[in-house]
Amino acid sequence: GENVEQHPSTLSVQEGDSAVIKCTYSDSASNYFPWYKQELGKRPQLIIDIRSNVGEKKDQRIAVTLNKTAKHFSLHITETQPEDSAVYFCAASNSWGKLQFGAGTQVVVTP
Amino acid sequence: SAVISQKPSRDICQRGTSLTIQCQVDSQVTMMFWYRQQPGQSLTLIATANQGSEATYESGFVIDKFPISRPNLTFSTLTVSNMSPEDSSIYLCSVETSRSSYNEQFFGPGTRLTVL
């Protein structure tokens, strides 16, 4: 089955700096890669996703890149703000819809 | 996106008892899933709730422990049976609203279960 590894487990950044979270996956059949943000006590929220026919996708301050050959994808947050502090999860899925999640990255943005 | 609700939002239960968690969506959805999130951990898929047929369970999860129903396209239940303290966790349902935007999943608010 699919295995998703996520790094780093914690990330501290100064407000205004960029944050990068990296994930690798094992199943070459995976074709959908979402990112979720989970604030303390809240449900995971889908913030951006990318499909295997696209190499990069951007939405305001967040962007995701995908390298299918290397089987890795990354989340980039620019101009970080305190409200970006949360746990971020990457995931991978094939057409059947089952999401395999990474272990999560605790992001702390300090003013 | 769809509005997803879960009941109860939290519960404290005694070991050996069972709890049924409900997931309600305000519109018909194609796929519904149940996940478990243990304290400070990631999300683990328990099963896919299939409408009108038996759920499809992931490795390590069995129907006798986690029976699931999905009587229609807007509702599903997950029962945690014969509970032990190790079942203390957050249980979340998720839905995939349309095969046209396949794989996009949205989560319910979760049910926080504590087993004493």
Side-chain angles (χ1 to χ4, degrees):
Chain A
E2 176 65 275
N3 182 50
V4 178
E5 295 192 356
Q6 182 172 347
H7 300 280
S9 57
T10 59
L11 181 59
S12 291
V13 295
Q14 289 277 81
E15 182 177 357
D17 289 349
S18 295
V20 180
I21 305 170
K22 299 182 179 182
C23 290
T24 61
Y25 62 99
S26 61
D27 188 353
S28 57
S30 291
N31 55 16
Y32 175 69
F33 307 92
W35 287 87
Y36 287 86
K37 175 183 180 182
Q38 188 174 33
E39 297 175 67
L40 190 62
K42 301 287 183 62
R43 74 185 81 186
Q45 296 274 10
L46 178 66
I47 57 171
I48 195 168
D49 57 14
I50 192 167
R51 303 185 191 280
S52 58
N53 57 346
V54 175
E56 184 173 356
K57 184 177 179 181
K58 189 173 181 180
D59 183 4
Q60 299 183 346
R61 294 187 297 108
I62 59 173
V64 58
T65 59
L66 171 65
N67 182 327
K68 279 202 68 179
T69 303
K71 296 202 191 84
H72 66 71
F73 56 112
S74 301
L75 178 71
H76 305 252
I77 307 173
T78 58
E79 301 172 21
T80 53
Q81 301 169 4
E83 51 265 38
D84 294 328
S85 296
V87 178
Y88 292 80
F89 293 99
C90 64
S93 173
N94 57 26
S95 298
W96 296 107
K98 299 190 297 184
L99 291 176
Q100 180 69 41
F101 282 85
T105 297
Q106 174 76 61
V107 174
V108 178
V109 180
T110 52
Chain B
S1 60
V3 176
I4 309 164
S5 59
Q6 283 186 234
K7 289 182 184 179
S9 58
R10 60 177 62 227
D11 207 342
I12 301 173
C13 301
Q14 297 297 321
R15 69 168 68 213
T17 63
S18 297
L19 177 72
T20 295
I21 302 167
Q22 299 179 5
C23 179
Q24 179 75 56
V25 192
D26 69 342
S27 59
Q28 293 185 346
V29 297
T30 50
M31 306 287 284
M32 295 182 79
F33 304 90
W34 286 97
Y35 288 84
R36 181 174 73 182
Q37 187 175 29
Q38 296 181 303
Q41 302 296 313
S42 184
L43 295 94
T44 301
L45 180 64
I46 298 171
T48 303
N50 300 308
Q51 194 264 327
S53 64
E54 201 169 276
T56 306
Y57 290 85
E58 296 302 303
S59 176
F61 298 96
V62 295
I63 187 171
D64 289 346
K65 176 67 175 176
F66 297 102
I68 287 170
S69 78
R70 190 179 172 193
N72 56 51
L73 294 176
T74 65
F75 184 78
S76 179
T77 67
L78 167 75
T79 299
V80 186
S81 303
N82 188 25
M83 289 184 285
S84 68
E86 292 71 37
D87 294 319
S88 297
S89 191
I90 298 173
Y91 293 86
L92 301 112
C93 65
S94 75
V95 305
E96 184 182 296
T97 55
S98 170
R99 285 267 100 184
S100 63
S101 56
Y102 69 91
N103 296 136
E104 283 187 355
Q105 287 186 31
F106 301 95
F107 284 86
T111 296
R112 182 180 294 272
L113 170 63
T114 302
V115 184
L116 303 177

